[in-house]
């Protein structure tokens, strides 16, 4: 092999095969989790929905079909390679703290948007750690934490009549190997593309941007997504 080959930069679109990974979704009985579970399972991924109550997860999984299984959040975390966190911000810290052991060694993908709502609409909250993703990283020292899937519409994700969801998924994390995995997962869903968008210290802006998207949706009666141009 020549030195040119050794030093050639890796093509950022050269992503790993993730088809064998088991994806768990904590809070997978909710709109966002159920929608992600549906899309990933439809793309051929093995998916396990998690819930605080195993029966709720089992019944959500049975409704989805596609080989999706349901379990309590702890078993979901234990059995999965990649674990998406799709619980409300209110329950975020408590849920992750209680699953520290089960999530050790796992790739944890946070999609939580800390938002407040008042009569003027949605607004971004400011978590003490900087962002939900950084809170996850602080609470889960033995896990690999990434952040993604914040800007997806749960309505579109769950709508079986929608075949493609044309949007980019901003993926953040500390390890390229991990963000590559998450980008590859996003890319399995027709119309979606995972785009690397920086380290977790920049997750706050990505999480907060959902407040703007909610304003867009209200004004234009839409389910807006995002495209990053020129990449
Ligand atoms: N909805 C969207 O369009 C969307 C888009 C992007 C990102 N997100 C993010 O995804 C997350 C989930 O959104 P969602 O709309 O799906 O929320 P949700 O339906 O209110 O909650 C999701 C699930 O979390 C569990 N849960 C509720 N309260 C909890 C608590 N205190 N502790 C632990 N688990 C709790 C519930 O499942 P069990 O009762 O079965 O445990 C519930 O079904 C949020 O953080 C949101 O910011 C949402």
């Amino acid at each position: 092999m020549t030195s040119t080959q050794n030093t050639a930069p890796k093509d950022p679109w050269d992503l790993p095969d993730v088809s064998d990974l088991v994806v768990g979704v904590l809070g997978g009985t909710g709109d966002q989790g159920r929608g992600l579970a549906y899309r990933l399972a439809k793309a051929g991924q093995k998916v396990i929905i998690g819930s605080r109550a195993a029966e709720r997860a089992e019944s959500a999984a049975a409704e989805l079909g596609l080989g999706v299984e349901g379990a309590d959040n702890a078993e979901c975390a234990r059995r999965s390679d990649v674990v998406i966190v799709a619980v409300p911000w209110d329950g975020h810290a408590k849920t992750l703290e209680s699953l520290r052991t089960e999530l050790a060694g796992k790739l944890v993908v946070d999609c939580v948007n800390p938002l407040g709502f008042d009569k003027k609409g949605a607004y971004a909250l400011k978590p003490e750690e900087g962002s939900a993703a950084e809170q996850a990283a602080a609470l889960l020292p033995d896990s690999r934490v990434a952040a993604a899937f914040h800007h997806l519409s749960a309505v579109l994700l769950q709508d079986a009549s929608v075949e493609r969801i044309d949007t980019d998924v901003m993926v953040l994390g500390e390890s390229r190997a991990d963000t590559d995995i998450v980008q590859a997962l996003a890319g399995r869903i027709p119309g979606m593309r995972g785009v690397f968008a920086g380290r977790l210290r920049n997750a706050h802006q990505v999480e907060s941007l959902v407040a703007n998207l909610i304003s867009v949706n209200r004004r234009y009666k839409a389910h807006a997504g995002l495209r990053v141009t020129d990449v």
Side-chain angles (χ1 to χ4, degrees):
M1 202 182 265
T2 66
S3 61
T4 316
Q5 283 168 315
N6 280 334
T7 54
K10 183 178 172 286
D11 177 352
W13 299 115
D14 181 11
L15 299 172
D17 176 4
V18 291
S19 54
D20 285 343
L21 297 181
V22 177
V23 178
V25 189
L26 305 178
T29 55
D31 286 337
Q32 169 77 348
R34 195 188 283 250
L36 281 170
Y38 169 63
R39 292 290 162 179
L40 289 168
K42 200 163 174 230
Q45 211 72 39
K46 173 71 198 175
V47 178
I48 304 174
I49 279 182
S51 164
R52 288 168 296 181
E55 319 81 69
R56 278 203 291 279
E58 282 155 13
S59 91
E63 274 172 38
L64 288 180
L66 300 167
V68 176
E69 289 183 60
D72 64 38
N73 282 330
E75 193 188 335
C76 165
R78 250 193 312 273
R79 289 182 53 201
S80 303
D81 303 300
V82 178
V83 183
I84 298 173
V85 185
V87 299
W89 168 240
D90 277 357
H92 185 256
K94 201 172 153 206
T95 302
L96 297 183
E97 263 165 4
S98 72
L99 297 172
R100 187 175 291 177
T101 307
E102 291 82 357
L103 290 170
K106 311 284 175 165
L107 174 52
V108 174
V109 186
D110 208 296
C111 74
V112 171
N113 303 308
L115 296 178
F117 293 86
D118 63 16
K119 57 179 190 298
K120 294 182 186 169
Y123 60 96
L125 301 175
K126 296 188 176 115
E128 207 181 301
E129 297 83 354
S131 61
E134 287 165 289
Q135 182 183 80
L139 292 172
L140 303 172
D142 302 323
S143 305
R144 296 132 57 206
V145 175
F149 303 119
H150 308 86
H151 303 142
L152 303 179
S153 155
V155 175
L156 294 185
L157 287 172
Q158 292 183 90
D159 184 342
S161 71
V162 174
E163 297 208 352
R164 289 175 59 85
I165 302 182
D166 287 313
T167 192
D168 283 341
V169 171
M170 298 178 95
V171 180
L172 299 94
E174 301 301 319
S175 140
R176 280 297 154 77
D178 290 337
T179 52
D180 279 359
I181 290 173
V182 182
Q183 285 177 253
L185 275 176
R188 297 205 73 195
I189 301 173
M192 261 184 223
R193 184 178 66 152
V195 178
F196 174 73
R199 291 179 180 266
L200 294 186
R201 68 181 181 175
N202 283 316
H204 175 65
Q205 300 87 280
V206 172
E207 295 170 3
S208 302
L209 193 60
V210 174
N212 305 80
L213 287 178
I214 290 171
S215 302
V216 171
N217 288 342
R218 288 187 177 171
R219 176 96 169 133
Y220 299 101
K221 310 268 178 283
H223 302 294
L226 282 181
R227 275 290 186 215
V228 180
T229 59
D230 203 34
V231 289

